Amino acid sequence: QVQLVESGGGLVQAGGSLRLSCAASGLTFRTAAMGWFRQAPGKVREFVSAISSSGTITYYADSVEGRFTISRDNTKNTVLLQMNNLDAEDTAIYYCASGFTASGLRGGNAKHWGQGTQVTVSS
């Protein structure tokens, strides 16, 4: 059974930083592309970032490019999302997802989802 467990969310002031972590189990992590999505209140879930299985290819949504950094540790089965210079528009539930390819995740094609972690940015 695949499990993706997010952590690291919380309340932060605008301009601050948070680092989200996703611990994966029940899948061959080193062969899975991983990604992050978010859903703000009243909005549809949207792509944030994705990383290939090897970590050599990354994608970002335009809204987070230059502020967020995705990385992964295949020895620990974890994927991280470093979020800097946060603003109120980043407030959302952030979901970890696995997929076949990073480009597929960018297109919304996820195979497994985590339960999400809340990020709230106060202005």
Side-chain angles (χ1 to χ4, degrees), residues 4-50:
L4 304 176
V5 180
E6 303 94 338
S7 61
L11 174 65
V12 64
Q13 288 187 331
S17 299
L18 281 176
R19 188 177 74 168
L20 304 184
S21 179
C22 173
S25 60
L27 75 167
T28 307
F29 186 79
R30 67 181 184 278
T31 66
M34 300 297 297
W36 291 93
F37 292 76
R38 68 186 182 186
Q39 186 168 18
K43 295 186 178 181
V44 298
R45 187 156 52 187
E46 64 175 2
F47 169 78
V48 174
S49 182

mmCIF file of all heavy atoms in Angstrom, residues 4-50:
data_model
loop_
_atom_site.group_PDB
_atom_site.id
_atom_site.type_symbol
_atom_site.label_atom_id
_atom_site.label_comp_id
_atom_site.label_asym_id
_atom_site.label_seq_id
_atom_site.Cartn_x
_atom_site.Cartn_y
_atom_site.Cartn_z
ATOM 1 N N LEU A 4 1.950 8.345 1.183
ATOM 2 C CA LEU A 4 2.701 9.592 1.066
ATOM 3 C C LEU A 4 2.248 10.471 2.223
ATOM 4 O O LEU A 4 1.069 10.814 2.314
ATOM 5 C CB LEU A 4 2.411 10.269 -0.277
ATOM 6 C CG LEU A 4 2.674 9.446 -1.539
ATOM 7 C CD1 LEU A 4 2.245 10.226 -2.786
ATOM 8 C CD2 LEU A 4 4.131 9.052 -1.630
ATOM 9 N N VAL A 5 3.194 10.812 3.083
ATOM 10 C CA VAL A 5 2.849 11.557 4.289
ATOM 11 C C VAL A 5 3.588 12.880 4.284
ATOM 12 O O VAL A 5 4.820 12.918 4.377
ATOM 13 C CB VAL A 5 3.190 10.752 5.550
ATOM 14 C CG1 VAL A 5 2.822 11.550 6.797
ATOM 15 C CG2 VAL A 5 2.463 9.407 5.539
ATOM 16 N N GLU A 6 2.813 13.964 4.212
ATOM 17 C CA GLU A 6 3.394 15.303 4.195
ATOM 18 C C GLU A 6 3.563 15.833 5.613
ATOM 19 O O GLU A 6 2.794 15.485 6.514
ATOM 20 C CB GLU A 6 2.506 16.276 3.419
ATOM 21 C CG GLU A 6 2.200 15.900 1.990
ATOM 22 C CD GLU A 6 0.905 15.131 1.837
ATOM 23 O OE1 GLU A 6 0.455 14.523 2.832
ATOM 24 O OE2 GLU A 6 0.324 15.145 0.735
ATOM 25 N N SER A 7 4.548 16.696 5.770
ATOM 26 C CA SER A 7 4.762 17.393 7.035
ATOM 27 C C SER A 7 5.441 18.714 6.736
ATOM 28 O O SER A 7 5.937 18.932 5.625
ATOM 29 C CB SER A 7 5.604 16.554 7.997
ATOM 30 O OG SER A 7 6.881 16.298 7.446
ATOM 31 N N GLY A 8 5.461 19.584 7.750
ATOM 32 C CA GLY A 8 6.179 20.847 7.616
ATOM 33 C C GLY A 8 5.301 22.059 7.362
ATOM 34 O O GLY A 8 5.810 23.178 7.320
ATOM 35 N N GLY A 9 4.011 21.844 7.192
ATOM 36 C CA GLY A 9 3.137 22.985 7.008
ATOM 37 C C GLY A 9 2.971 23.780 8.289
ATOM 38 O O GLY A 9 3.434 23.378 9.353
ATOM 39 N N GLY A 10 2.322 24.927 8.168
ATOM 40 C CA GLY A 10 2.088 25.754 9.350
ATOM 41 C C GLY A 10 1.738 27.161 8.974
ATOM 42 O O GLY A 10 1.386 27.458 7.825
ATOM 43 N N LEU A 11 1.823 28.028 9.976
ATOM 44 C CA LEU A 11 1.519 29.446 9.807
ATOM 45 C C LEU A 11 2.817 30.232 9.738
ATOM 46 O O LEU A 11 3.695 30.063 10.601
ATOM 47 C CB LEU A 11 0.661 29.930 10.977
ATOM 48 C CG LEU A 11 0.352 31.421 11.045
ATOM 49 C CD1 LEU A 11 -0.499 31.837 9.852
ATOM 50 C CD2 LEU A 11 -0.356 31.737 12.362
ATOM 51 N N VAL A 12 2.932 31.079 8.751
ATOM 52 C CA VAL A 12 4.143 31.881 8.587
ATOM 53 C C VAL A 12 3.756 33.272 8.099
ATOM 54 O O VAL A 12 2.733 33.433 7.428
ATOM 55 C CB VAL A 12 5.115 31.191 7.601
ATOM 56 C CG1 VAL A 12 4.518 31.102 6.203
ATOM 57 C CG2 VAL A 12 6.467 31.862 7.577
ATOM 58 N N GLN A 13 4.542 34.251 8.429
ATOM 59 C CA GLN A 13 4.278 35.607 7.963
ATOM 60 C C GLN A 13 4.754 35.772 6.522
ATOM 61 O O GLN A 13 5.668 35.070 6.065
ATOM 62 C CB GLN A 13 4.986 36.619 8.852
ATOM 63 C CG GLN A 13 4.369 36.762 10.233
ATOM 64 C CD GLN A 13 4.990 37.898 11.014
ATOM 65 O OE1 GLN A 13 6.148 38.246 10.822
ATOM 66 N NE2 GLN A 13 4.209 38.499 11.904
ATOM 67 N N ALA A 14 4.149 36.693 5.824
ATOM 68 C CA ALA A 14 4.563 36.990 4.456
ATOM 69 C C ALA A 14 6.056 37.332 4.428
ATOM 70 O O ALA A 14 6.560 38.030 5.311
ATOM 71 C CB ALA A 14 3.747 38.154 3.908
ATOM 72 N N GLY A 15 6.728 36.781 3.429
ATOM 73 C CA GLY A 15 8.168 36.963 3.330
ATOM 74 C C GLY A 15 8.965 35.858 3.991
ATOM 75 O O GLY A 15 10.189 35.778 3.805
ATOM 76 N N GLY A 16 8.287 35.023 4.746
ATOM 77 C CA GLY A 16 8.961 33.947 5.458
ATOM 78 C C GLY A 16 9.149 32.707 4.617
ATOM 79 O O GLY A 16 8.841 32.689 3.412
ATOM 80 N N SER A 17 9.648 31.657 5.265
ATOM 81 C CA SER A 17 9.962 30.409 4.572
ATOM 82 C C SER A 17 9.398 29.216 5.325
ATOM 83 O O SER A 17 9.221 29.264 6.544
ATOM 84 C CB SER A 17 11.483 30.238 4.460
ATOM 85 O OG SER A 17 12.070 31.273 3.717
ATOM 86 N N LEU A 18 9.126 28.171 4.576
ATOM 87 C CA LEU A 18 8.743 26.876 5.128
ATOM 88 C C LEU A 18 9.372 25.795 4.254
ATOM 89 O O LEU A 18 9.593 26.013 3.069
ATOM 90 C CB LEU A 18 7.228 26.687 5.136
ATOM 91 C CG LEU A 18 6.395 27.349 6.215
ATOM 92 C CD1 LEU A 18 4.915 27.104 5.955
ATOM 93 C CD2 LEU A 18 6.773 26.856 7.601
ATOM 94 N N ARG A 19 9.597 24.650 4.873
ATOM 95 C CA ARG A 19 10.066 23.500 4.107
ATOM 96 C C ARG A 19 9.114 22.344 4.330
ATOM 97 O O ARG A 19 8.949 21.880 5.467
ATOM 98 C CB ARG A 19 11.474 23.092 4.509
ATOM 99 C CG ARG A 19 12.058 22.015 3.592
ATOM 100 C CD ARG A 19 13.485 21.662 3.929
ATOM 101 N NE ARG A 19 13.594 20.871 5.139
ATOM 102 C CZ ARG A 19 14.694 20.246 5.532
ATOM 103 N NH1 ARG A 19 15.791 20.327 4.773
ATOM 104 N NH2 ARG A 19 14.719 19.562 6.650
ATOM 105 N N LEU A 20 8.512 21.911 3.261
ATOM 106 C CA LEU A 20 7.620 20.763 3.325
ATOM 107 C C LEU A 20 8.397 19.491 3.021
ATOM 108 O O LEU A 20 9.313 19.490 2.206
ATOM 109 C CB LEU A 20 6.485 20.900 2.313
ATOM 110 C CG LEU A 20 5.624 22.161 2.416
ATOM 111 C CD1 LEU A 20 4.489 22.100 1.402
ATOM 112 C CD2 LEU A 20 5.095 22.354 3.818
ATOM 113 N N SER A 21 7.984 18.421 3.688
ATOM 114 C CA SER A 21 8.603 17.128 3.477
ATOM 115 C C SER A 21 7.525 16.095 3.185
ATOM 116 O O SER A 21 6.411 16.182 3.710
ATOM 117 C CB SER A 21 9.389 16.719 4.728
ATOM 118 O OG SER A 21 9.990 15.461 4.554
ATOM 119 N N CYS A 22 7.860 15.144 2.333
ATOM 120 C CA CYS A 22 6.931 14.060 2.011
ATOM 121 C C CYS A 22 7.700 12.754 2.166
ATOM 122 O O CYS A 22 8.696 12.527 1.474
ATOM 123 C CB CYS A 22 6.406 14.214 0.600
ATOM 124 S SG CYS A 22 5.409 12.820 0.006
ATOM 125 N N ALA A 23 7.230 11.917 3.071
ATOM 126 C CA ALA A 23 7.833 10.606 3.286
ATOM 127 C C ALA A 23 7.015 9.562 2.544
ATOM 128 O O ALA A 23 5.803 9.463 2.755
ATOM 129 C CB ALA A 23 7.873 10.289 4.773
ATOM 130 N N ALA A 24 7.679 8.797 1.687
ATOM 131 C CA ALA A 24 6.979 7.822 0.852
ATOM 132 C C ALA A 24 7.301 6.400 1.299
ATOM 133 O O ALA A 24 8.423 6.100 1.710
ATOM 134 C CB ALA A 24 7.377 8.009 -0.607
ATOM 135 N N SER A 25 6.305 5.548 1.205
ATOM 136 C CA SER A 25 6.494 4.125 1.488
ATOM 137 C C SER A 25 5.559 3.313 0.602
ATOM 138 O O SER A 25 4.568 3.834 0.090
ATOM 139 C CB SER A 25 6.226 3.816 2.968
ATOM 140 O OG SER A 25 4.897 4.155 3.314
ATOM 141 N N GLY A 26 5.911 2.040 0.432
ATOM 142 C CA GLY A 26 5.056 1.156 -0.349
ATOM 143 C C GLY A 26 5.226 1.270 -1.843
ATOM 144 O O GLY A 26 4.439 0.689 -2.602
ATOM 145 N N LEU A 27 6.236 2.015 -2.286
ATOM 146 C CA LEU A 27 6.515 2.111 -3.719
ATOM 147 C C LEU A 27 8.024 2.089 -3.921
ATOM 148 O O LEU A 27 8.786 2.324 -2.962
ATOM 149 C CB LEU A 27 5.917 3.378 -4.329
ATOM 150 C CG LEU A 27 6.599 4.736 -4.069
ATOM 151 C CD1 LEU A 27 6.014 5.777 -5.016
ATOM 152 C CD2 LEU A 27 6.496 5.183 -2.654
ATOM 153 N N THR A 28 8.439 1.816 -5.141
ATOM 154 C CA THR A 28 9.863 1.853 -5.475
ATOM 155 C C THR A 28 10.218 3.303 -5.728
ATOM 156 O O THR A 28 10.143 3.798 -6.851
ATOM 157 C CB THR A 28 10.162 0.977 -6.697
ATOM 158 O OG1 THR A 28 9.632 -0.339 -6.473
ATOM 159 C CG2 THR A 28 11.668 0.888 -6.924
ATOM 160 N N PHE A 29 10.595 3.963 -4.659
ATOM 161 C CA PHE A 29 10.733 5.422 -4.679
ATOM 162 C C PHE A 29 11.711 5.898 -5.746
ATOM 163 O O PHE A 29 11.465 6.883 -6.424
ATOM 164 C CB PHE A 29 11.164 5.920 -3.304
ATOM 165 C CG PHE A 29 11.200 7.407 -3.173
ATOM 166 C CD1 PHE A 29 10.028 8.133 -2.978
ATOM 167 C CD2 PHE A 29 12.399 8.089 -3.235
ATOM 168 C CE1 PHE A 29 10.050 9.509 -2.857
ATOM 169 C CE2 PHE A 29 12.445 9.465 -3.114
ATOM 170 C CZ PHE A 29 11.264 10.185 -2.928
ATOM 171 N N ARG A 30 12.813 5.188 -5.907
ATOM 172 C CA ARG A 30 13.862 5.670 -6.803
ATOM 173 C C ARG A 30 13.431 5.667 -8.272
ATOM 174 O O ARG A 30 14.079 6.270 -9.108
ATOM 175 C CB ARG A 30 15.128 4.822 -6.648
ATOM 176 C CG ARG A 30 14.973 3.385 -7.117
ATOM 177 C CD ARG A 30 16.254 2.585 -6.927
ATOM 178 N NE ARG A 30 16.138 1.239 -7.464
ATOM 179 C CZ ARG A 30 15.567 0.231 -6.831
ATOM 180 N NH1 ARG A 30 15.061 0.429 -5.636
ATOM 181 N NH2 ARG A 30 15.503 -0.953 -7.380
ATOM 182 N N THR A 31 12.330 5.000 -8.571
ATOM 183 C CA THR A 31 11.842 4.987 -9.954
ATOM 184 C C THR A 31 10.610 5.869 -10.151
ATOM 185 O O THR A 31 10.081 5.963 -11.261
ATOM 186 C CB THR A 31 11.497 3.566 -10.410
ATOM 187 O OG1 THR A 31 10.367 3.072 -9.657
ATOM 188 C CG2 THR A 31 12.679 2.620 -10.234
ATOM 189 N N ALA A 32 10.167 6.513 -9.092
ATOM 190 C CA ALA A 32 8.948 7.312 -9.169
ATOM 191 C C ALA A 32 9.264 8.792 -9.307
ATOM 192 O O ALA A 32 10.121 9.312 -8.588
ATOM 193 C CB ALA A 32 8.088 7.088 -7.927
ATOM 194 N N ALA A 33 8.562 9.450 -10.208
ATOM 195 C CA ALA A 33 8.592 10.905 -10.222
ATOM 196 C C ALA A 33 7.731 11.388 -9.056
ATOM 197 O O ALA A 33 6.747 10.728 -8.684
ATOM 198 C CB ALA A 33 8.039 11.441 -11.541
ATOM 199 N N MET A 34 8.120 12.521 -8.493
ATOM 200 C CA MET A 34 7.397 13.048 -7.333
ATOM 201 C C MET A 34 7.034 14.508 -7.579
ATOM 202 O O MET A 34 7.719 15.216 -8.338
ATOM 203 C CB MET A 34 8.240 12.937 -6.073
ATOM 204 C CG MET A 34 8.643 11.517 -5.703
ATOM 205 S SD MET A 34 7.235 10.461 -5.312
ATOM 206 C CE MET A 34 6.574 11.282 -3.859
ATOM 207 N N GLY A 35 5.990 14.953 -6.933
ATOM 208 C CA GLY A 35 5.590 16.330 -7.158
ATOM 209 C C GLY A 35 4.768 16.899 -6.014
ATOM 210 O O GLY A 35 4.406 16.185 -5.061
ATOM 211 N N TRP A 36 4.512 18.179 -6.123
ATOM 212 C CA TRP A 36 3.689 18.904 -5.153
ATOM 213 C C TRP A 36 2.592 19.648 -5.899
ATOM 214 O O TRP A 36 2.830 20.244 -6.969
ATOM 215 C CB TRP A 36 4.531 19.903 -4.361
ATOM 216 C CG TRP A 36 5.498 19.256 -3.428
ATOM 217 C CD1 TRP A 36 6.804 18.941 -3.678
ATOM 218 C CD2 TRP A 36 5.250 18.854 -2.077
ATOM 219 N NE1 TRP A 36 7.380 18.364 -2.573
ATOM 220 C CE2 TRP A 36 6.441 18.300 -1.569
ATOM 221 C CE3 TRP A 36 4.134 18.913 -1.237
ATOM 222 C CZ2 TRP A 36 6.564 17.805 -0.271
ATOM 223 C CZ3 TRP A 36 4.246 18.423 0.047
ATOM 224 C CH2 TRP A 36 5.443 17.880 0.523
ATOM 225 N N PHE A 37 1.425 19.606 -5.307
ATOM 226 C CA PHE A 37 0.270 20.346 -5.794
ATOM 227 C C PHE A 37 -0.301 21.131 -4.614
ATOM 228 O O PHE A 37 0.047 20.867 -3.471
ATOM 229 C CB PHE A 37 -0.800 19.389 -6.337
ATOM 230 C CG PHE A 37 -0.392 18.668 -7.592
ATOM 231 C CD1 PHE A 37 0.509 17.611 -7.531
ATOM 232 C CD2 PHE A 37 -0.900 19.027 -8.824
ATOM 233 C CE1 PHE A 37 0.894 16.936 -8.686
ATOM 234 C CE2 PHE A 37 -0.530 18.354 -9.981
ATOM 235 C CZ PHE A 37 0.377 17.307 -9.909
ATOM 236 N N ARG A 38 -1.164 22.071 -4.907
ATOM 237 C CA ARG A 38 -1.815 22.801 -3.824
ATOM 238 C C ARG A 38 -3.239 23.160 -4.199
ATOM 239 O O ARG A 38 -3.567 23.268 -5.381
ATOM 240 C CB ARG A 38 -1.021 24.058 -3.452
ATOM 241 C CG ARG A 38 -1.006 25.141 -4.537
ATOM 242 C CD ARG A 38 -0.072 26.266 -4.127
ATOM 243 N NE ARG A 38 -0.059 27.341 -5.112
ATOM 244 C CZ ARG A 38 0.763 28.390 -5.044
ATOM 245 N NH1 ARG A 38 1.622 28.505 -4.044
ATOM 246 N NH2 ARG A 38 0.707 29.326 -5.977
ATOM 247 N N GLN A 39 -4.038 23.333 -3.172
ATOM 248 C CA GLN A 39 -5.424 23.735 -3.377
ATOM 249 C C GLN A 39 -5.789 24.812 -2.373
ATOM 250 O O GLN A 39 -5.779 24.557 -1.154
ATOM 251 C CB GLN A 39 -6.375 22.551 -3.244
ATOM 252 C CG GLN A 39 -7.810 22.889 -3.600
ATOM 253 C CD GLN A 39 -8.677 21.659 -3.755
ATOM 254 O OE1 GLN A 39 -8.331 20.570 -3.293
ATOM 255 N NE2 GLN A 39 -9.809 21.811 -4.428
ATOM 256 N N ALA A 40 -6.075 25.976 -2.889
ATOM 257 C CA ALA A 40 -6.496 27.094 -2.052
ATOM 258 C C ALA A 40 -8.015 27.045 -1.875
ATOM 259 O O ALA A 40 -8.717 26.452 -2.692
ATOM 260 C CB ALA A 40 -6.084 28.407 -2.698
ATOM 261 N N PRO A 41 -8.518 27.680 -0.833
ATOM 262 C CA PRO A 41 -9.964 27.679 -0.593
ATOM 263 C C PRO A 41 -10.732 28.197 -1.804
ATOM 264 O O PRO A 41 -10.418 29.250 -2.347
ATOM 265 C CB PRO A 41 -10.119 28.618 0.602
ATOM 266 C CG PRO A 41 -8.816 28.545 1.296
ATOM 267 C CD PRO A 41 -7.786 28.383 0.234
ATOM 268 N N GLY A 42 -11.724 27.433 -2.246
ATOM 269 C CA GLY A 42 -12.550 27.853 -3.354
ATOM 270 C C GLY A 42 -11.922 27.723 -4.725
ATOM 271 O O GLY A 42 -12.506 28.169 -5.722
ATOM 272 N N LYS A 43 -10.747 27.111 -4.784
ATOM 273 C CA LYS A 43 -10.051 26.982 -6.064
ATOM 274 C C LYS A 43 -9.776 25.510 -6.356
ATOM 275 O O LYS A 43 -9.798 24.664 -5.474
ATOM 276 C CB LYS A 43 -8.751 27.772 -6.057
ATOM 277 C CG LYS A 43 -8.953 29.275 -5.929
ATOM 278 C CD LYS A 43 -7.642 30.010 -6.079
ATOM 279 C CE LYS A 43 -7.837 31.521 -6.009
ATOM 280 N NZ LYS A 43 -6.552 32.259 -6.171
ATOM 281 N N VAL A 44 -9.474 25.219 -7.598
ATOM 282 C CA VAL A 44 -9.133 23.862 -7.966
ATOM 283 C C VAL A 44 -7.692 23.576 -7.592
ATOM 284 O O VAL A 44 -6.880 24.497 -7.442
ATOM 285 C CB VAL A 44 -9.348 23.620 -9.481
ATOM 286 C CG1 VAL A 44 -10.810 23.819 -9.856
ATOM 287 C CG2 VAL A 44 -8.454 24.520 -10.316
ATOM 288 N N ARG A 45 -7.384 22.292 -7.446
ATOM 289 C CA ARG A 45 -6.021 21.918 -7.126
ATOM 290 C C ARG A 45 -5.129 22.231 -8.322
ATOM 291 O O ARG A 45 -5.492 21.984 -9.477
ATOM 292 C CB ARG A 45 -5.965 20.439 -6.779
ATOM 293 C CG ARG A 45 -4.630 19.973 -6.270
ATOM 294 C CD ARG A 45 -4.730 18.725 -5.399
ATOM 295 N NE ARG A 45 -5.453 17.641 -6.005
ATOM 296 C CZ ARG A 45 -5.774 16.516 -5.364
ATOM 297 N NH1 ARG A 45 -5.418 16.356 -4.094
ATOM 298 N NH2 ARG A 45 -6.435 15.564 -5.972
ATOM 299 N N GLU A 46 -3.936 22.767 -8.028
ATOM 300 C CA GLU A 46 -3.038 23.172 -9.095
ATOM 301 C C GLU A 46 -1.638 22.615 -8.896
ATOM 302 O O GLU A 46 -1.206 22.369 -7.766
ATOM 303 C CB GLU A 46 -2.952 24.710 -9.176
ATOM 304 C CG GLU A 46 -2.362 25.375 -7.973
ATOM 305 C CD GLU A 46 -2.190 26.883 -8.158
ATOM 306 O OE1 GLU A 46 -2.574 27.417 -9.213
ATOM 307 O OE2 GLU A 46 -1.655 27.524 -7.227
ATOM 308 N N PHE A 47 -0.946 22.449 -9.993
ATOM 309 C CA PHE A 47 0.434 21.977 -9.979
ATOM 310 C C PHE A 47 1.354 23.028 -9.372
ATOM 311 O O PHE A 47 1.215 24.227 -9.650
ATOM 312 C CB PHE A 47 0.866 21.663 -11.409
ATOM 313 C CG PHE A 47 2.336 21.422 -11.566
ATOM 314 C CD1 PHE A 47 2.890 20.203 -11.198
ATOM 315 C CD2 PHE A 47 3.168 22.398 -12.064
ATOM 316 C CE1 PHE A 47 4.253 19.974 -11.334
ATOM 317 C CE2 PHE A 47 4.524 22.182 -12.214
ATOM 318 C CZ PHE A 47 5.067 20.968 -11.847
ATOM 319 N N VAL A 48 2.320 22.566 -8.571
ATOM 320 C CA VAL A 48 3.319 23.461 -7.994
ATOM 321 C C VAL A 48 4.715 23.123 -8.533
ATOM 322 O O VAL A 48 5.410 23.983 -9.061
ATOM 323 C CB VAL A 48 3.319 23.382 -6.457
ATOM 324 C CG1 VAL A 48 4.455 24.199 -5.866
ATOM 325 C CG2 VAL A 48 1.977 23.833 -5.891
ATOM 326 N N SER A 49 5.107 21.858 -8.377
ATOM 327 C CA SER A 49 6.460 21.479 -8.770
ATOM 328 C C SER A 49 6.549 19.972 -8.922
ATOM 329 O O SER A 49 5.764 19.232 -8.324
ATOM 330 C CB SER A 49 7.460 21.963 -7.721
ATOM 331 O OG SER A 49 8.786 21.645 -8.104
ATOM 332 N N ALA A 50 7.503 19.522 -9.733
ATOM 333 C CA ALA A 50 7.730 18.100 -9.910
ATOM 334 C C ALA A 50 9.204 17.840 -10.126
ATOM 335 O O ALA A 50 9.943 18.713 -10.588
ATOM 336 C CB ALA A 50 6.918 17.552 -11.081
#
